[in-house]
Amino acid sequence: MAKPNSRPTLIKYCKRALGAPVVEINVDDDQVDDRIDEALQFYQEYHTDAIERVYLKHQITAQNITDGKAGTGITISDNGITEITKVFNLSDAAGSSANMFNFDYQMRLNDLHNINYSSGLLDYAMTRMHYEMWEMLADDDNKQFEFKRHRNTIVIFMDWDEVAVGDFLVFQAYKILDPDSHTEVYNDYYLKRYATALIKQQWGINLIKFEGMVMPGGVTFNGRQIFDDAREEIEKLTEEARLNWEMPIDFYTG
């Protein structure tokens, strides 16, 4: 069996799964394209295999600072971003190594030699956990933000006087895998089943208007049964995706 590795081969796979070429699939090509688009959109929204975690950097410009103070967002240069989960602290890199009053600097200066012993390593790990918890509760310098997906912009709520032109922002984000670049997406087991069910449902919708019509040779259309079967398959696949594959909600995002 040929493995789908493109949009056309996925369409052929779905039609074969429905009985083609033995059975004529009464669905227009444009309708098939629409259902494939719908399947990909659902897959990318609710299946973890359709996205990947990435880190994006953005060098701050004078216009960014002006817009930030005005509450206007920064445009993300990379398309396909579905979610931004963290804006990294600008002082993390420089602060810990250059600022002698920084907590990390003092911790390493005074305690690093103790981790040569097992108890010292445990103390170090526990202290780090305590410090990270304190940071989260105190909200130290973690950036609060709002990602506007359909505008592809991020609004960061912070004191923009603390940054300078040329500094970098680093975003932890999730990006949709481009199926045309990562062709193995088209062979995903779930996507193949979901796309087939959507085309089957469209087939049933098309045939319902001929319900009860008797064709030459006594053949009748049973579009309602095809539609009902497809709807049941779609409901099961939707539940499977939401329960097993959807990304968990991050209550600390933004």
Side-chain angles (χ1 to χ4, degrees), residues 178-189:
D178 181 5
D180 293 327
S181 299
H182 302 81
T183 57
E184 63 275 8
V185 168
Y186 288 113
N187 192 44
D188 184 271
Y189 181 61

Side-chain angles (χ1 to χ4, degrees), residues 132-202:
E132 290 168 3
M133 178 64 73
W134 178 85
E135 277 189 321
M136 183 183 71
L137 296 176
D139 193 33
D140 72 321
D141 199 24
N142 289 331
K143 306 295 183 256
Q144 303 302 307
F145 58 90
E146 179 183 359
F147 176 57
K148 302 180 183 295
R149 178 177 176 182
H150 295 297
R151 297 183 183 180
N152 205 35
T153 60
I154 180 172
V155 179
I156 305 174
F157 306 102
M158 69 177 187
D159 182 3
W160 283 88
D161 288 327
E162 71 179 17
V163 299
V165 174
D167 286 345
F168 281 92
L169 291 172
V170 178
F171 307 127
Q172 178 178 279
Y174 286 91
K175 179 181 178 180
I176 293 173
L177 286 171
D178 181 5
D180 293 327
S181 299
H182 302 81
T183 57
E184 63 275 8
V185 168
Y186 288 113
N187 192 44
D188 184 271
Y189 181 61
Y190 180 89
L191 177 61
K192 290 188 294 185
R193 289 187 296 155
Y194 193 75
T196 300
L198 289 181
I199 295 173
K200 182 178 181 178
Q201 185 181 54
Q202 183 66 62

Side-chain angles (χ1 to χ4, degrees), residues 58-216:
H58 175 81
Q59 190 167 24
I60 296 175
T61 65
Q63 188 62 50
N64 290 153
I65 296 177
T66 300
D67 292 342
K69 291 179 178 180
T72 305
I74 296 174
T75 299
I76 304 299
S77 58
D78 203 331
N79 294 322
I81 301 299
T82 63
E83 182 182 9
I84 292 179
T85 56
K86 186 175 179 63
V87 178
F88 284 97
N89 190 339
L90 291 173
S91 64
D92 280 349
S96 61
S97 60
N99 182 4
M100 66 178 297
F101 299 104
N102 179 273
F103 179 90
D104 284 336
Y105 182 95
Q106 289 294 324
M107 184 176 179
R108 292 178 172 86
L109 178 67
N110 292 287
D111 297 331
L112 191 60
H113 66 279
N114 291 328
I115 67 173
N116 289 325
Y117 304 97
S118 59
S119 59
L121 182 60
L122 178 61
D123 289 341
Y124 178 82
M126 295 298 293
T127 302
R128 289 295 309 173
M129 292 173 62
H130 178 75
Y131 171 57
E132 290 168 3
M133 178 64 73
W134 178 85
E135 277 189 321
M136 183 183 71
L137 296 176
D139 193 33
D140 72 321
D141 199 24
N142 289 331
K143 306 295 183 256
Q144 303 302 307
F145 58 90
E146 179 183 359
F147 176 57
K148 302 180 183 295
R149 178 177 176 182
H150 295 297
R151 297 183 183 180
N152 205 35
T153 60
I154 180 172
V155 179
I156 305 174
F157 306 102
M158 69 177 187
D159 182 3
W160 283 88
D161 288 327
E162 71 179 17
V163 299
V165 174
D167 286 345
F168 281 92
L169 291 172
V170 178
F171 307 127
Q172 178 178 279
Y174 286 91
K175 179 181 178 180
I176 293 173
L177 286 171
D178 181 5
D180 293 327
S181 299
H182 302 81
T183 57
E184 63 275 8
V185 168
Y186 288 113
N187 192 44
D188 184 271
Y189 181 61
Y190 180 89
L191 177 61
K192 290 188 294 185
R193 289 187 296 155
Y194 193 75
T196 300
L198 289 181
I199 295 173
K200 182 178 181 178
Q201 185 181 54
Q202 183 66 62
W203 184 16
I205 292 173
N206 292 348
L207 293 180
I208 283 177
K209 63 181 179 179
F210 300 110
E211 193 76 23
M213 182 180 295
V214 180
M215 301 297 291

Side-chain angles (χ1 to χ4, degrees), residues 7-23:
R7 187 186 185 92
T9 55
L10 175 60
I11 291 173
K12 290 180 180 179
Y13 173 91
C14 294
K15 288 184 175 180
R16 288 198 304 271
L18 292 173
V22 177
V23 178

Side-chain angles (χ1 to χ4, degrees), residues 8-68:
T9 55
L10 175 60
I11 291 173
K12 290 180 180 179
Y13 173 91
C14 294
K15 288 184 175 180
R16 288 198 304 271
L18 292 173
V22 177
V23 178
E24 182 179 357
I25 310 301
N26 305 107
V27 183
D28 181 74
D29 289 342
D30 288 339
Q31 291 178 322
V32 171
D33 282 334
D34 289 343
R35 300 294 76 78
I36 293 297
D37 287 339
E38 185 179 343
L40 283 169
Q41 184 177 16
F42 182 86
Y43 177 71
Q44 292 164 349
E45 288 284 345
Y46 296 109
H47 204 297
T48 55
D49 288 346
I51 59 176
E52 61 179 344
R53 185 169 62 180
V54 296
Y55 293 91
L56 311 174
K57 67 177 182 179
H58 175 81
Q59 190 167 24
I60 296 175
T61 65
Q63 188 62 50
N64 290 153
I65 296 177
T66 300
D67 292 342

